[in-house]
Amino acid sequence: MATYTVELSRKGPGLLLRDILRGEDEQVAAVVSVIARVRPDILLLTGFDVDHGNAALSALADRMAEAGAPYPHRFSLRSNAGMATGLDLDGNGRAGEPRDAQGYGRFAGQGGMAILSRFPILSDEVTDFSALLWKDLPGAHLPEAEGAPFPSEAVLAVQRLSSTGHWVVPVALPGGGRLHLLAYAATPPVFDGPEDRNGLRNADEAALWQRYLDGALGHAPPERNFVILGKLNLDPLDGDGRHAAVRALLSDPRLQDPAPTGEGGALYPTAEHHGAPELDTADWPEPAEGGPGNLRVDYVLPAAGMRVLAAGVHWPSGGLAGEDAAAASRHRLVWADLEPEG
């Protein structure tokens, strides 16, 4: 299985569908090529424009089938990205801007997430935490400015925790078992002010899964065969953000970190960074160029009882495969070959 931040997002609704159907978009072609090379059985897409009826997702799946990687089962839900609120959520004095949606977005579904699978998705049994208010997360760390809620009590009364979504999606496996996908894509922990609104939210988006596994969200978690996966947008050591939040997931005894590596990432060590470059999953400009440098921000974290047969970051060091990976997205596909427990 795999997670992949494809960055297939456009500036308006319907434009991604247009680009997929035309068959001339180089980025779409590169994304299809990357997925066809790795051919995961189950794939979470993040940074993907989701529309009502999943027309763009179906069109991408058709392209995948033409490339020899069919995904007959597709799933998505309404995203918090681009969901209008009518309020000034970021406290800049203006409402109706992309950062005033429940999750950043110029339009509903921009940069959402979706699942492609070779195995049946049990959509009637999905648990969706996307409507959970941030203030209602047990142990939530809410932003403040000068000792008062930021930007206001009225905002915190409607502000959802999930910037995109938090889904528990069961997938039926061959032989009668099932695997639960704990899927999400978090906000970047930047683009805010001294109140650290996005940094706090990013950390609490990760913490939601631990509260869920604790049984603190009103739904019984699976006892085995589950995987947390997606764009956490947080490196354990480097870049901005509250690193302790992802380290808490990586060290949780109910989970395991396969520590996937990619040969291309290993070629780009950053002097200012402390993490191993081969673990990085995003190719960003170096600090001298105004960027954070390469970071590990995309994860596949299986339950502790599952057997990890192999894992990796699809980051080829050269050739056509490397060109496709670079043309597709700044992120790299992260995969793990897993054997369910029992």
Side-chain angles (χ1 to χ4, degrees), residues 27 35 63 103 136 138 155 160 162 195 197 206 214 251 262 265 276 303 309 325:
Q27 184 201 6
I35 298 172
R63 291 282 299 271
D136 290 340
V155 164
R160 298 181 175 191
S162 304
E195 82 291 337
R197 174 178 178 264
D214 293 340
S251 63
L309 304 177

Side-chain angles (χ1 to χ4, degrees), residues 37-285:
R37 278 191 174 92
V38 182
R39 295 175 60 88
D41 294 315
I42 303 168
L43 173 63
L44 172 67
L45 300 173
T46 62
F48 183 87
D49 288 350
V50 175
D51 53 70
H52 183 68
N54 286 330
L57 182 62
S58 295
L60 182 67
D62 290 343
R63 291 282 299 271
M64 294 306 312
E66 293 171 2
Y71 290 97
H73 306 284
R74 303 113 189 220
F75 179 81
S76 187
L77 291 172
R78 184 180 182 186
S79 174
N80 285 346
M83 183 183 292
T85 66
L87 298 175
D88 175 20
L89 262 60
D90 62 354
N92 70 350
R94 301 184 297 273
E97 297 180 324
R99 291 193 177 95
D100 297 318
Q102 287 289 1
Y104 179 90
R106 298 180 179 89
F107 56 89
Q110 184 183 30
M113 61 182 186
I115 296 171
L116 296 172
S117 176
R118 290 182 54 227
F119 309 132
I121 297 170
L122 305 177
S123 55
D124 291 341
E125 301 179 31
V126 168
T127 300
D128 183 12
F129 291 111
S130 304
L132 177 72
L133 295 181
W134 187 358
K135 68 182 181 65
D136 290 340
L137 177 75
H141 298 87
L142 301 174
E144 294 184 351
E146 299 180 353
F150 179 89
S152 66
E153 289 279 7
V155 164
L156 295 184
V158 301
Q159 174 70 75
R160 298 181 175 191
L161 172 60
S162 304
S163 54
T164 306
H166 282 79
W167 309 337
V168 181
V169 181
V171 176
L173 300 178
R178 62 177 56 188
L179 175 68
H180 287 83
L181 311 179
L182 280 56
Y184 85 116
T187 188
V190 290
F191 310 120
D192 53 15
E195 82 291 337
D196 196 25
R197 174 178 178 264
N198 292 337
L200 291 167
R201 188 182 187 188
N202 174 282
D204 275 355
E205 287 192 84
L208 178 146
W209 290 127
Q210 290 181 292
R211 303 292 83 77
Y212 170 61
L213 295 176
D214 293 340
L217 299 184
H219 295 268
E223 296 181 359
R224 60 181 186 175
N225 293 337
F226 59 87
V227 182
I228 295 175
L229 76 166
K231 180 178 66 174
L232 279 64
N233 255 333
L234 189 62
D235 187 287
L237 298 170
D238 299 308
D240 290 311
R242 297 177 175 251
H243 308 295
V246 68
R247 292 202 296 264
L249 280 180
L250 297 177
S251 63
D252 192 308
R254 297 167 295 192
L255 302 169
Q256 58 179 311
D257 179 14
T261 60
E263 63 179 29
L267 299 177
Y268 300 99
T270 302
E272 295 86 352
H273 284 191
H274 301 91
E278 61 268 21
L279 294 172
D280 289 339
T281 68
D283 184 13
W284 284 321

